[in-house]
Amino acid sequence: GAAPFDQKMYFGKMTWQAGDDHLVELTAKRRDEEELTSIGDGPNTPSYGTSKTNNSTRLDLRWQWSGQNWLNDAHLTSEDDAWSPRPITIGPGFQIVNTRTGNAFDGNVILNLGGGQDFQDKGQKGYSFQNDFTFFGLDRHTIKAGFKYKSVEINAFEQQPFNPQYRIDFFENLDAGRNTLASFVPFRVE
């Protein structure tokens, strides 16, 4: 089946005509998303999956001031975006593999369970100011000028794997008489 996904999106806009020459607008956008990934696809059990959140808030305050042959368009904006995958389970992860086929060092994965690997905290937050001026008072000519200042702080943290990952050779453990997860001996820990 499909992995759970929940999305909520909001949008709002208010406009105020302050006079014949002045227009003020405030626009707001909000997006909240949550989803579970890395489950139900191949060897991953639901406990081994990842919970992802994606949140975004954007604001734009705009002022247009116009004359007979010119237009000034100013924007003050802000943004706050975050993307944060996290393991569904906090605790050791177990990768049950078969080293008799494929790569002898890593083995072919049979089953992943327990705490997953993915942990990230990424996003950006900031504001900007932009002003654009257009003059169209000359015959068949338009003159444009403007500037933009933007200040954004970016964060990016990632830890892979977040939970310790115990790689266990299934058949080697069975051959040694160990037949429960509690009795398995890992051949590698990350």
Side-chain angles (χ1 to χ4, degrees):
F5 178 78
D6 182 44
Q7 180 181 56
K8 294 178 179 74
M9 298 182 74
Y10 307 95
F11 175 81
K13 185 174 190 175
M14 295 186 335
T15 303
W16 177 42
Q17 186 78 42
D20 290 342
D21 300 338
H22 299 278
L23 175 70
V24 179
E25 291 179 337
L26 177 62
T27 304
K29 299 175 189 174
R30 176 75 183 164
R31 182 178 75 202
D32 295 321
E33 295 174 345
E34 292 182 30
E35 69 177 320
L36 300 179
T37 61
S38 301
I39 57 174
D41 56 346
N44 295 341
T45 62
S47 68
Y48 199 78
T50 300
S51 173
K52 292 182 180 175
T53 60
N54 184 21
N55 300 318
S56 177
T57 302
R58 304 260 173 156
L59 301 171
D60 182 359
L61 179 61
R62 178 183 189 194
W63 174 34
Q64 282 189 329
W65 180 22
S66 59
Q68 184 175 351
N69 54 14
W70 57 270
L71 171 67
N72 194 77
D73 191 9
H75 291 263
L76 181 61
T77 68
S78 73
E79 61 188 73
D80 187 358
D81 299 320
W83 186 64
S84 305
R86 302 281 194 272
I88 291 172
T89 304
I90 303 299
F94 300 94
Q95 301 171 343
I96 313 297
V97 301
N98 176 4
T99 59
R100 294 179 182 173
T101 62
N103 182 339
F105 180 70
D106 287 329
N108 290 330
V109 176
I110 300 170
L111 184 68
N112 291 322
L113 63 142
Q117 301 183 45
D118 199 6
F119 182 94
Q120 299 179 55
D121 183 10
K122 298 180 179 180
Q124 62 186 49
K125 188 175 187 175
Y127 64 93
S128 72
F129 177 71
Q130 177 176 346
N131 194 69
D132 297 313
F133 181 80
T134 305
F135 181 75
F136 41 84
L138 299 174
D139 186 34
R140 296 182 310 182
H141 295 282
T142 300
I143 299 171
K144 293 186 174 233
F147 70 89
K148 182 174 186 175
Y149 173 80
K150 188 167 188 174
S151 174
V152 175
E153 185 175 309
I154 296 174
N155 67 300
F157 177 78
E158 184 171 343
Q159 185 173 341
Q160 304 288 350
F162 178 73
N163 290 311
Q165 299 295 304
Y166 294 90
R167 191 163 282 255
I168 298 165
D169 188 312
F170 182 68
F171 293 107
E172 291 294 325
N173 276 280
L174 289 182
D175 289 347
R178 298 182 293 267
N179 57 12
T180 65
L181 184 61
S183 67
F184 285 162
V185 175
F187 67 90
R188 187 170 80 212
V189 178
E190 295 178 337

